[in-house]
Amino acid sequence: MANIIPFKGFRPVKDKVHLVASRSVDSYTKNDLTDKLKGNPFTFLHIINPDFADDKPTRPGSLERLKKVKSKYEEFKKNGVFVQDEQPCYYIYQQQKAGNVYTGIIGCSSIDDYFNGVIKIHEQTLTDREQKLKEYLEVCDFNAEPVLFSYPNDVVIDELTAKKIATEPTYDFTTTDQVRHELWILNDPAVVKSIQERFRHIPAIYIADGHHRSASSALLGKSRREKNPSHTGKEAYNFYLGVFFPETQLRIYDFNRVVKDLNGLSASQLLKQLSEKFEIEEKTETIYKPQQKHNFSMYLENKWYSLTPKKGIVNDKEPVGSLDASILTEHILSPILGIHDLKTDKRIGFIPGIKGMEELKYQLDQGLAKVAFGLYPVAMSQLKLIADTNNIMPPKTTWVEPKMRSGLVIYSLES
């Protein structure tokens, strides 16, 4: 059963929260990142990029850089940018974006749940990246970007959450990307206990986004346990930061593909080869979006097409093989377009469905690619089936919303 605990979070003071909380550093272009660092002395990006303040470059991932990250974080605390709650809390977070409302609970998950399979995974992690993130945690000693989890809706948790968000939030701000963020501090001991007990009745929780963060936290905890002869299981390293959304509160978008060339084929030759396994229908729409599972859209030479596998091509009894991402790779990308490794091949690009099919059209119209494929979004039931059967999804199969901001609530790994 899931062990999800409250904690004494560090968080920005109210008048600076909108300045501190930042998107993941990887989501900024180099120029945008520089502008943010120049224009906002309170952004959490200064902690992640500590070289900016002293203009003394250090190598990314080096011990010297990590020590500077930790030092910058301590400086923020010393200057009163962050304060710590006095008692263990859960934090209810709500995001409103593009007409969607997402409500979840920030707490800490147990590394034991990761090891014993209560936490379910659907993505293969890379050992090198796991190790680098573990080294980051070892030196910096904090989690600032929660892992995104989903869990089956629980009536009691839903009711307690709804009751709390009917009150005035501690934080309520809108960021420049037109996303509204609200946060409530849930510190009533009786309510906290009730939520913790209800989570213990949930047999499994699913990682929606953050597999490497989970793996690295588990590695850190395992390492610290082995080095601590007086280990009790209650130390901070036994847990890591997560935000837990009921299944109905998450949205899984498609993850689409663009290919830079046609592997030496003409458009007509490509269509001919596709017709061997797919029913092809030319569409008159300005934009064509897949209508159901196993239906693909294709944009080629200023035309949209619908592609549907012919009878017998797909085996729906195969959890991985029946994913649309797998079908596309097995029957189009690999045999026809010569793309065999999605992780390393530079000829393929991945477009989050949140950008819409319009982005596929734009890329081709700008000459950045020659053909684009739109996929139907993976259902939560498919994601859970993959995880429950210990299978792994192909790379870039899902884009899950919401995306959290770093530095909104921080979990200290210092026991």
Side-chain angles (χ1 to χ4, degrees), residues 12-22 170-173 407-408:
V13 291
K14 189 172 182 178
D15 68 321
K16 294 182 177 64
V17 61
H18 64 294
L19 299 171
V20 174
S22 72
T170 301
Y171 299 150
D172 185 354
F173 64 99
L408 188 60

Side-chain angles (χ1 to χ4, degrees), residues 258-272:
V258 292
V259 182
K260 291 184 179 180
D261 61 66
L262 302 184
N263 197 28
L265 300 173
S266 65
S268 60
Q269 288 172 327
L270 174 61
L271 288 167
K272 183 177 180 181

Side-chain angles (χ1 to χ4, degrees), residues 144-316:
E145 184 179 357
V147 172
L148 182 63
F149 291 99
S150 72
Y151 65 91
N153 283 65
D154 180 272
V155 174
V156 174
I157 295 177
D158 288 348
E159 289 177 350
L160 291 172
T161 300
K163 186 175 181 180
K164 185 64 180 179
I165 64 175
T167 65
E168 184 177 352
T170 301
Y171 299 150
D172 185 354
F173 64 99
T174 300
T175 43
T176 54
D177 54 359
Q178 300 182 38
V179 177
R180 184 179 179 183
H181 309 265
E182 293 175 273
L183 187 93
W184 292 260
I185 299 172
L186 210 166
N187 55 14
D188 182 304
V191 178
V192 166
K193 182 179 180 181
S194 294
I195 290 177
Q196 189 168 5
E197 287 298 323
R198 291 306 302 179
F199 272 125
R200 287 188 177 131
H201 286 81
I202 294 173
I205 56 175
Y206 297 81
I207 299 177
D209 188 24
H211 284 78
H212 283 92
R213 276 169 280 151
S214 288
S216 60
S217 293
L219 285 175
L220 175 75
K222 183 174 183 291
S223 173
R224 290 189 173 180
R225 284 178 176 184
E226 293 169 350
K227 296 175 183 177
N228 182 6
S230 58
H231 167 79
T232 66
K234 296 182 179 180
E235 296 86 355
Y237 57 70
N238 292 288
F239 302 91
Y240 62 100
L241 188 64
V243 57
F244 302 83
F245 287 92
E247 291 176 6
T248 57
Q249 290 291 311
L250 286 181
R251 181 168 179 182
I252 303 177
Y253 285 84
D254 40 304
F255 222 139
N256 304 308
R257 279 82 164 118
V258 292
V259 182
K260 291 184 179 180
D261 61 66
L262 302 184
N263 197 28
L265 300 173
S266 65
S268 60
Q269 288 172 327
L270 174 61
L271 288 167
K272 183 177 180 181
Q273 291 198 32
L274 288 172
S275 67
E276 295 177 8
K277 293 186 176 181
F278 292 84
E279 300 291 348
I280 303 175
E281 182 183 355
E282 186 177 332
K283 293 294 183 179
T284 57
E285 291 94 331
T286 304
I287 299 287
Y288 177 70
K289 188 173 184 177
Q291 300 301 298
Q292 60 186 7
K293 185 173 69 171
H294 304 338
N295 177 233
F296 302 85
S297 63
M298 180 176 71
Y299 189 56
L300 175 69
E301 292 195 337
N302 302 313
K303 294 180 180 179
W304 285 97
Y305 297 87
S306 166
L307 307 180
T308 305
K310 293 181 177 180
K311 188 175 181 180
I313 296 297
V314 179
N315 181 0
D316 277 313

Side-chain angles (χ1 to χ4, degrees), residues 2-38:
N3 183 18
I4 299 168
I5 67 167
F7 65 103
K8 299 177 183 179
F10 284 90
R11 51 188 179 79
V13 291
K14 189 172 182 178
D15 68 321
K16 294 182 177 64
V17 61
H18 64 294
L19 299 171
V20 174
S22 72
R23 302 199 314 267
S24 172
V25 67
D26 296 334
S27 68
Y28 293 93
T29 65
K30 186 177 180 179
N31 288 339
D32 285 345
L33 181 60
T34 300
D35 289 344
K36 288 285 184 182
L37 292 168
K38 284 183 177 178

